[in-house]
Amino acid sequence: MAKRKAVSIKDVARESNASLTTVSLVLNNRDGRISSATRERVLSAVERLGYRPSRLAQSLQSQRSGFLGILVPQLRHAFADVYFGELISAIQETAAEHDYKIILDVANPRYLERNHHLELFRRHYIDGLLCLGVTNNDTYLADFGEGQPVIVVNNRVQDVDLDFVQCNYVEAGRIAATHLCELGHRHIGYIHGATEVQTTSDLRHGFEEILQRFDISLPPSHFEDGLYTEEGGADAAIALLKRDPSITAIFSGNDKMAIGAISGLKRIGKRVPEEVSVIGCDDVHQSEFCDPPLTTIHTPIFDVGARACTMLLDLISSKQETVRETKDVSLTVRNSTAAPQTGRNGSPQ
Amino acid sequence: MAKRKAVSIKDVARESNASLTTVSLVLNNRDGRISSATRERVLSAVERLGYRPSRLAQSLQSQRSGFLGILVPQLRHAFADVYFGELISAIQETAAEHDYKIILDVANPRYLERNHHLELFRRHYIDGLLCLGVTNNDTYLADFGEGQPVIVVNNRVQDVDLDFVQCNYVEAGRIAATHLCELGHRHIGYIHGATEVQTTSDLRHGFEEILQRFDISLPPSHFEDGLYTEEGGADAAIALLKRDPSITAIFSGNDKMAIGAISGLKRIGKRVPEEVSVIGCDDVHQSEFCDPPLTTIHTPIFDVGARACTMLLDLISSKQETVRETKDVSLTVRNSTAAPQTGRNGSPQ
DNA sequence: AGAATATGATAAAACCTTTTACCGAATCGA
DNA sequence: TCGATTCGGTAAAAGGTTTTATCATATTCT
């Protein structure tokens, strides 16, 4: 199939009776050194031959790949998660605006064991890396060093001194707690996600801070792990209400689990929000379309992704030395929360 | 910050008192030419220096980038769509198994206008391309040619002769229609997605084929565009029932719109499935967690993505000349469909 | 007019591999 | 012992660009 060889700068040089160097200078507008006559000659040859410089050769020479990496953890189907998807959309869009392309990697055990994360830089795959969904267990993050720009997106890592852009999850916890308390709830369940995620703790700290202020106790029996999945959320909600039927409100660490929780509550015949209020966290798109529409903490995920990408580019071009940003969150009230029913239905006071 | 220069094969050669060539031969196991003594010497030097070959130089030399491209259309936040996400997960996983990496591009108008899709190959960004979410309007697909392996994923393009891997949407339409008809529905609404998508027509053809067999008419007033979004699905369902209150079942072109439709129906006080049945298509993960859980056509999206990726690799390595595959689909019955209520509530017979 | 400076273009080095072709030394067969 | 192999290894080319240093030629200054 004689896949005819790609045209190179040499071909252009020959075609235009100019030297290799001249062609390069013209193409890169290296100051007016070249006469407009030769410039035209070169340009027309480029046009005629349909020449486009090889990005491989360019990268080799410039020692810049023009790629940004996105590293996500190994989950069921990581990319089918709207939370990650939203971040990736934001990152891709921002990167494209700056003529960078995105490459996608999944940090599974095999990957890490083979040090593929280090190869990303050492073998010049990428110029910078964005890490999504990291946990405090991800010790490999400590492997990155000098000249390897890395930003942790919407999280932090406890023991590793890495740059990050995140939402204020402590505040998110406070807002959620305040909302429930002010509605009058006193028996509250808490569905959390993986505890090794830093923002999971942040959220809980903020939440408990406010509960204490309202003098409400949150016994261990009111906590349940929802695994950050719908199924987990459903199971957790059911477990919580079985263990303590007086619970009138549930805070879920993310919307996914909250939606699962609503589905679980319905399954055991509890009406939302009449009998049990549910509040989530994230404000993903579909929260508007579950039944009832979910009250949740709005976190500016898209902005965080875009900002992280911009900052990464600044790190790469040495416009920044270090990045540490925390974005504000807010309450989005829909219909899954209400004041608790007084009297009859349980609620032993 | 003296970012100390990366160690190159030259450094290894010097360190191990061998020639450049020898080092390369050892590293690539080019037949037993090298004595085990030198081999050891080289290997230990590699170890000591922490040498890793530059993939840029390798790619330049081999004329293979080691990347696969994924091109998605411009949508709200394309990657935050579980359907695309599932495909991307499958592709990424398969590619990684074969030591390929994935790069992500969004085909927005600016991108296409600048012919960035062609640059992908011409500038050696990628060795092969997977196109997601294409429509019959995407004429740029015709630009790809010889030596540019491209596969359309879970779709086809009417006028362009491109390789594809897809689900059998004609059959999906048939199955959905059969299900509704056998339940006894006679007044059926149809929420469709973008008509410029080939599978949209396939689905409809299959659906109408069965309705004719059951001698049921589907007047234009029973069609509504749901824009492939939740909002669109909700609006469409409401419009359909306002226009013809005798409708007892709705088929939706994807689950997203179906979930929206359920939410819309509830909003106007219609119970699902007692008053109106809803059946979707795709079987996305969350269909299990809406209320009621959605009856839908299961399409093996993940398999399609994985298969498309495998086939693309075969095209690249010339193990295949052409790819045309259609995967089976099946019915997943949950609780959003039921027999129509007889008598009282409308249903003029 | 002779020296100094612009101007326009180019040869060569550098970026880092892999592969091809070749070379000297040792081994082997006759 | 001569010619043919095998063995172990290397120099050089190729892959395609950018950048640096250099070289002619033309122009300007004194």
Side-chain angles (χ1 to χ4, degrees):
Chain A
M1 288 298 95
K3 177 188 206 171
R4 66 184 174 298
K5 269 181 50 169
V7 349
S8 90
I9 197 170
K10 264 186 201 161
D11 303 313
V12 178
R14 190 173 330 107
E15 176 83 8
S16 62
N17 279 320
S19 80
L20 229 169
T21 315
T22 306
V23 177
S24 174
L25 291 177
V26 168
L27 259 37
N28 297 286
N29 294 318
R30 282 280 163 277
D31 302 46
R33 322 229 344 96
I34 310 296
S35 73
S36 60
T38 14
R39 143 174 268 99
E40 284 313 316
R41 223 165 1 105
V42 168
L43 255 24
S44 98
V46 166
E47 185 74 20
R48 214 158 38 227
L49 270 48
Y51 166 73
R52 301 268 52 212
S54 157
R55 136 211 164 244
L56 282 169
Q58 285 180 322
S59 291
L60 178 59
Q61 144 70 30
S62 67
Q63 298 292 81
R64 290 257 164 138
S65 69
F67 290 124
L68 263 28
I70 296 184
L71 194 58
V72 307
Q74 185 182 36
L75 300 173
R76 204 189 80 90
H77 291 158
F79 302 110
D81 183 297
V82 289
Y83 166 76
F84 288 119
E86 186 93 359
L87 286 175
I88 293 172
S89 292
I91 293 165
Q92 198 284 330
E93 194 172 311
T94 310
E97 279 165 15
H98 295 82
D99 285 312
Y100 270 83
K101 286 192 192 289
I102 291 298
I103 94 174
L104 234 44
D105 265 6
V106 174
N108 59 36
R110 178 165 165 277
Y111 181 94
L112 293 172
E113 193 183 333
R114 301 185 175 194
N115 280 331
H116 277 340
H117 62 299
L118 287 177
E119 308 256 302
L120 281 174
F121 284 107
R122 295 212 294 195
R123 306 193 59 193
H124 304 281
Y125 278 103
I126 59 171
D127 299 333
L129 182 66
L130 296 165
C131 295
L132 273 45
V134 304
T135 75
N136 287 326
N137 292 340
D138 293 332
T139 51
Y140 65 87
L141 291 170
D143 297 344
F144 296 113
E146 197 73 15
Q148 308 192 142
V150 174
I151 291 185
V152 174
V153 183
N154 204 24
N155 235 317
R156 310 192 306 286
V157 183
Q158 192 122 59
D159 305 316
V160 188
D161 188 41
L162 281 171
D163 292 337
F164 63 82
V165 176
Q166 63 169 7
C167 297
N168 192 339
Y169 281 97
V170 178
E171 186 63 17
R174 291 196 196 107
I175 294 175
T178 306
H179 178 64
L180 294 181
C181 289
E182 287 182 346
L183 280 173
H185 293 281
R186 291 298 175 267
H187 300 90
I188 299 176
Y190 191 120
I191 301 178
H192 60 85
T195 51
E196 62 271 24
V197 177
Q198 184 58 41
T199 52
T200 303
S201 325
D202 289 358
L203 200 61
R204 178 162 166 178
H205 286 143
F207 196 76
E208 291 189 316
E209 176 191 325
I210 299 298
L211 287 206
Q212 274 173 11
R213 198 173 300 168
F214 275 81
D215 213 27
I216 298 173
S217 72
L218 206 52
S221 65
H222 280 207
F223 285 95
E224 194 66 36
D225 190 346
L227 307 170
Y228 276 140
T229 66
E230 282 101 347
E231 296 90 328
D235 296 344
I238 294 172
L240 284 173
L241 267 109
K242 175 170 279 179
R243 209 180 295 138
D244 182 352
S246 71
I247 286 175
T248 61
I250 290 178
F251 176 40
S252 161
N254 74 2
D255 285 356
K256 226 177 169 179
M257 295 190 294
I259 289 170
I262 291 178
S263 142
L265 290 171
K266 286 180 180 167
R267 210 182 304 152
I268 58 170
K270 294 282 181 186
R271 285 174 301 142
V272 179
E274 293 82 357
E275 296 175 78
V276 182
S277 287
V278 175
I279 178 169
C281 180
D282 277 355
D283 198 11
V284 299
H285 188 238
Q286 62 171 126
S287 298
E288 211 174 325
F289 295 92
C290 57
D291 181 37
L294 188 68
T295 294
T296 186
I297 310 298
H298 177 81
T299 54
I301 299 294
F302 194 87
D303 293 347
V304 165
R307 184 68 180 162
C309 187
T310 305
M311 291 290 96
L312 182 61
L313 293 173
D314 281 356
L315 284 181
I316 291 172
S317 58
S318 305
K319 274 190 230 149
Q320 288 280 323
E321 272 292 306
T322 185
V323 177
R324 244 134 262 217
E325 286 196 12
T326 303
K327 299 287 184 193
D328 284 343
V329 301
S330 58
L331 178 67
T332 298
V333 180
R334 297 206 182 87
N335 304 327
S336 66
T337 50
Q341 284 184 330
T342 48
R344 57 172 70 141
N345 244 355
S347 179
Q349 129 71 305
Chain B
M1 289 299 93
K3 179 186 204 173
R4 64 183 175 301
K5 273 181 42 171
V7 348
S8 90
I9 198 170
K10 263 185 201 161
D11 302 313
V12 177
R14 191 172 331 107
E15 176 83 8
S16 62
N17 280 318
S19 81
L20 232 170
T21 315
T22 307
V23 177
S24 174
L25 292 177
V26 169
L27 259 37
N28 297 288
N29 295 318
R30 283 280 163 278
D31 300 47
R33 321 225 348 92
I34 309 298
S35 72
S36 60
T38 15
R39 146 174 264 98
E40 284 312 317
R41 230 174 346 116
V42 167
L43 255 24
S44 98
V46 166
E47 185 74 20
R48 215 157 37 227
L49 271 47
Y51 167 73
R52 303 265 54 212
S54 157
R55 127 202 175 251
L56 282 169
Q58 285 180 324
S59 290
L60 177 59
Q61 143 73 29
S62 67
Q63 298 293 77
R64 291 256 164 140
S65 70
F67 290 123
L68 262 32
I70 296 184
L71 195 58
V72 306
Q74 185 183 35
L75 300 172
R76 202 190 82 90
H77 291 156
F79 302 111
D81 184 295
V82 292
Y83 167 76
F84 288 119
E86 186 93 359
L87 285 176
I88 293 173
S89 292
I91 293 165
Q92 198 284 330
E93 194 172 310
T94 310
E97 278 164 17
H98 294 83
D99 285 312
Y100 270 84
K101 287 192 192 289
I102 291 299
I103 93 174
L104 234 44
D105 266 4
V106 174
N108 58 37
R110 177 167 166 276
Y111 181 94
L112 293 172
E113 193 183 333
R114 301 185 175 196
N115 281 331
H116 277 339
H117 63 299
L118 286 177
E119 307 256 301
L120 281 175
F121 284 107
R122 294 213 295 195
R123 306 194 57 194
H124 304 282
Y125 278 102
I126 59 170
D127 299 332
L129 182 65
L130 295 165
C131 295
L132 273 46
V134 305
T135 74
N136 287 328
N137 292 341
D138 294 331
T139 51
Y140 64 88
L141 290 170
D143 297 344
F144 296 113
E146 197 73 14
Q148 308 191 141
V150 174
I151 293 184
V152 174
V153 184
N154 205 25
N155 235 317
R156 309 190 308 285
V157 184
Q158 193 121 59
D159 305 316
V160 187
D161 187 41
L162 281 170
D163 291 338
F164 64 82
V165 176
Q166 63 169 8
C167 297
N168 191 338
Y169 282 96
V170 177
E171 184 63 16
R174 292 197 196 106
I175 294 176
T178 306
H179 178 64
L180 294 180
C181 289
E182 288 183 346
L183 281 173
H185 293 281
R186 291 298 174 266
H187 300 89
I188 299 176
Y190 191 120
I191 302 178
H192 60 85
T195 51
E196 63 269 26
V197 177
Q198 183 58 41
T199 53
T200 303
S201 326
D202 289 357
L203 200 60
R204 178 163 168 177
H205 286 143
F207 196 77
E208 292 189 315
E209 176 191 325
I210 299 298
L211 287 206
Q212 274 174 9
R213 197 171 302 167
F214 276 80
D215 213 27
I216 298 174
S217 73
L218 205 52
S221 65
H222 280 207
F223 286 95
E224 193 65 35
D225 190 346
L227 307 171
Y228 275 142
T229 66
E230 283 101 347
E231 296 90 328
D235 295 346
I238 294 172
L240 283 173
L241 268 109
K242 175 170 280 179
R243 210 180 292 139
D244 182 353
S246 72
I247 286 176
T248 61
I250 291 178
F251 176 40
S252 161
N254 73 2
D255 285 355
K256 228 177 166 177
M257 295 189 294
I259 289 171
I262 290 178
S263 142
L265 289 171
K266 285 180 181 169
R267 209 181 305 154
I268 58 170
K270 293 283 182 186
R271 283 174 302 140
V272 179
E274 292 82 357
E275 296 176 76
V276 181
S277 288
V278 175
I279 179 169
C281 180
D282 277 355
D283 198 12
V284 300
H285 188 237
Q286 61 171 128
S287 297
E288 210 175 325
F289 294 93
C290 58
D291 181 37
L294 187 69
T295 294
T296 186
I297 310 298
H298 176 81
T299 54
I301 298 294
F302 194 88
D303 293 347
V304 166
R307 184 68 180 162
C309 187
T310 305
M311 290 291 97
L312 182 61
L313 292 172
D314 281 356
L315 284 182
I316 291 171
S317 58
S318 305
K319 276 190 227 147
Q320 289 281 321
E321 271 292 307
T322 185
V323 176
R324 246 132 263 216
E325 286 196 14
T326 304
K327 300 287 184 193
D328 284 343
V329 301
S330 58
L331 178 66
T332 297
V333 179
R334 297 208 183 87
N335 304 326
S336 66
T337 49
Q341 285 184 331
T342 47
R344 57 173 69 144
N345 245 354
S347 179
Q349 104 97 331

